[in-house]
Amino acid sequence: MTSPGSSGFYSSIRGAGPSDSRPTGGWRAVVLLVAVMALIITTLDVATPADFRARALLGLVPIMVAMLAPVTVTAVVTGLLICVYVALQAVAPLPTGGWAVLGPLMIGTGGLLGVLIARRREEQRARVQALKDIAEATQRAVMRGLPERFEDLRIADFYQPAARAARVGGDWYDFQPSPHGVRAVLGDVSGKGLPAVSASAWLLGAFREAAYHEERIEEVARRLEIAMQRYTAWNRLTRDEGLTDAFSTGLLLHFPPTSGGCVDIVNFGHEPPLVVTADGRVHTPELPAGLPLGMGMLGAAAPRVARLPFGVGDTLILFTDGVTECRDEGGAFYPVRERLPGLLPPPGAKESPEALLRRLAEDLREHRYGPPSDDAAITVIRRTARRAPYENEADAELYGYRPKEPAATADTADSAVRGTAAQYATDMRFLECASRSISSTKASA
């Protein structure tokens, strides 16, 4: 999901609103349709013998116009056609009798049917647009728009849901600045459809809160594990249609503010990222893989944090299995790790992450045979020498990195909390298992 400043690639599902009176296809299509049909019928009427006149066929024109135009336009076209009929009567009058009555009757009946069709079509269009607006608002709440920069990080994101006309699916990612550094996450929930979207929303809500409040990245990882367990436990309790045994792979990233040359990564059984160094070398870092989110009840140790060098000019490329498992016509998977070096610019050339992401997305689309079979998400992160400024001092204080001040006494210990985050500070350490938090609502989603 993208904001006006975001670099993501989406196919917008937002159409014209119900109050938009423009015809489908534009005014040119309506004018062309009326002109062509009227010209054909008039020419046929003049060319046929006197005992057969085609002018009564003008009654078909409003019905055709109603397929494209609103009620008002259909009614206006009907009035114009009556004027055309009167003109034809003046040039080549029909003998009195049935033929003289048939023409106006056909045009009037066609106009009435056209108005009713146009009205019904507008009502259906308004209902569909209302549903689209609701879906759009819901989807934007789940996958919110991202700016192009977070502090000294420049980002570009791509998301291709498998479901047609959707904007969200089982893949989820987000960025969250905090007083402790910028945090990022990318994951893939098991399953498909609405249950996977629900699980993604639950995890994103937990990430946005924990990533801001928690100082240690290990605690953010633990909060995500609890959120995944809470989701499945809630579905078992309510017998909802969600995933009762859901899990999610993922990568959790932390960019420390005091050490600009590194990044901390926690791997929840996900595909490791690709690293492109400032001099153009591409490699896959070795990360200790832990269990996917939601499987912590198996008793395995929590995933370990790996620290990688990440200096100015370095680029991280994160992706889900919808990329690596994209098949061509012969059934071969997309070899992203082998194809990426050929998509990089020449050494020394300066290029934005958006340009690299666009080439990667286009190469993925050319490789894919048929419609996408799985959600695909790609995030490109590059460290720059310049930091993005905040809009105002309040935002800078809210998200700014400020060293912890030593407390003078026990009474003033809380004053050491950085910035204005103190009023939002929470502690979730009492949540040791899913059953302890089963009464929580879905507010985090």
Side-chain angles (χ1 to χ4, degrees):
M1 170 127 357
T2 57
S3 63
S6 177
S7 55
F9 300 97
Y10 285 94
S11 297
S12 176
I13 65 172
R14 181 177 293 277
S19 61
D20 193 348
S21 61
R22 291 179 302 172
T24 303
W27 289 105
R28 183 178 298 178
V30 174
V31 173
L32 184 62
L33 175 64
V34 173
V36 170
M37 291 191 67
L39 180 61
I40 293 175
I41 294 173
T42 303
T43 303
L44 185 62
D45 183 84
V46 174
T48 54
D51 58 347
F52 176 79
R53 293 299 184 184
R55 63 189 65 173
L57 296 177
L58 290 172
L60 298 176
V61 179
I63 299 177
M64 301 299 296
V65 171
M67 301 297 179
L68 302 177
V71 172
T72 304
V73 177
T74 305
V76 170
V77 169
T78 302
L80 293 176
L81 292 174
I82 293 177
C83 295
V84 172
Y85 183 85
V86 173
L88 288 174
Q89 278 288 89
V91 174
L94 290 175
T96 59
W99 283 107
V101 178
L102 181 62
L105 182 63
M106 288 284 291
I107 297 176
T109 304
L112 179 61
L113 290 175
V115 168
L116 294 177
I117 292 173
R119 180 179 179 182
R120 181 64 175 174
R121 189 178 61 86
E122 286 185 343
E123 291 175 351
Q124 291 180 344
R125 183 183 182 185
R127 283 196 292 266
V128 171
Q129 186 60 45
L131 292 175
K132 284 185 177 181
D133 290 340
I134 294 173
E136 182 84 1
T138 303
Q139 292 166 343
R140 286 186 180 274
V142 176
M143 293 292 288
R144 60 184 179 180
L146 299 176
E148 294 182 355
R149 290 182 177 272
F150 282 106
E151 291 290 330
D152 58 347
L153 303 175
R154 186 168 180 177
I155 65 172
D157 59 293
F158 165 84
Y159 197 25
Q160 177 61 70
R164 186 178 181 181
R167 292 177 65 95
V168 292
D171 291 358
W172 53 287
Y173 62 91
D174 202 359
F175 286 76
Q176 180 60 58
S178 77
H180 319 292
V182 176
R183 275 73 186 268
V185 70
L186 180 141
D188 184 4
V189 174
S190 60
K192 298 181 183 296
L194 291 178
V197 175
S198 176
S200 300
W202 197 287
L203 287 168
L204 284 169
F207 167 76
R208 290 163 186 166
E209 289 301 307
Y212 179 83
H213 294 301
E214 299 295 344
E215 181 175 2
R216 300 176 64 248
I217 193 63
E218 293 88 348
E219 188 62 23
V220 179
R222 193 186 72 87
R223 293 272 295 275
L224 288 176
E225 171 64 28
I226 291 176
M228 191 77 264
Q229 292 186 30
R230 288 174 56 203
Y231 171 79
T232 55
W234 183 265
N235 287 331
R236 287 193 296 267
L237 180 68
T238 60
R239 291 176 173 83
D240 199 357
E241 295 181 357
L243 302 172
T244 55
D245 295 306
F247 66 89
S248 175
T249 63
L251 292 173
L252 177 62
L253 285 71
H254 170 60
F255 299 90
T258 58
S259 179
C262 69
V263 56
D264 296 332
I265 302 180
V266 180
N267 185 4
F268 299 101
H270 195 80
E271 284 271 359
L274 281 167
V275 178
V276 182
T277 60
D279 56 5
R281 292 181 293 109
V282 182
H283 70 277
T284 301
E286 295 185 2
L287 300 177
L291 291 176
L293 293 168
M295 294 187 175
M297 74 286 291
L298 298 179
R304 293 188 290 116
V305 179
R307 173 159 290 192
L308 305 178
F310 189 63
V312 174
D314 292 346
T315 304
L316 271 171
I317 301 176
L318 287 65
F319 46 87
T320 60
D321 59 5
V323 175
T324 56
E325 296 179 3
C326 176
R327 297 176 182 266
D328 62 8
E329 187 174 2
F333 291 124
Y334 179 68
V336 60
R337 302 185 187 279
E338 290 75 17
R339 296 284 284 269
L340 182 64
L343 301 175
L344 296 176
K350 294 184 178 180
E351 185 180 67
S352 66
E354 293 85 354
L356 173 60
L357 179 61
R358 189 177 297 276
R359 280 201 305 275
L360 181 57
E362 291 175 352
D363 191 58
L364 177 67
R365 186 179 63 250
E366 292 175 359
H367 177 88
R368 185 181 67 237
Y369 178 72
S373 59
D374 193 8
D375 303 331
I378 307 173
T379 302
V380 179
I381 309 170
R382 177 172 298 168
R383 190 182 292 279
T384 62
R386 182 173 65 89
R387 290 184 177 271
Y390 289 100
E391 292 293 332
N392 52 59
E393 294 183 1
D395 291 350
E397 183 180 4
L398 186 66
Y399 290 120
Y401 307 142
R402 303 173 63 182
K404 184 180 295 185
E405 301 174 359
T409 64
D411 295 335
T412 59
D414 291 341
S415 64
V417 180
R418 289 178 288 274
T420 58
Q423 59 182 320
Y424 304 109
T426 59
D427 191 350
M428 300 290 287
R429 292 174 179 81
F430 67 91
L431 299 177
E432 296 298 337
C433 63
S435 60
R436 298 285 184 178
S437 56
I438 202 65
S439 61
S440 300
T441 66
K442 291 185 178 180
S444 60

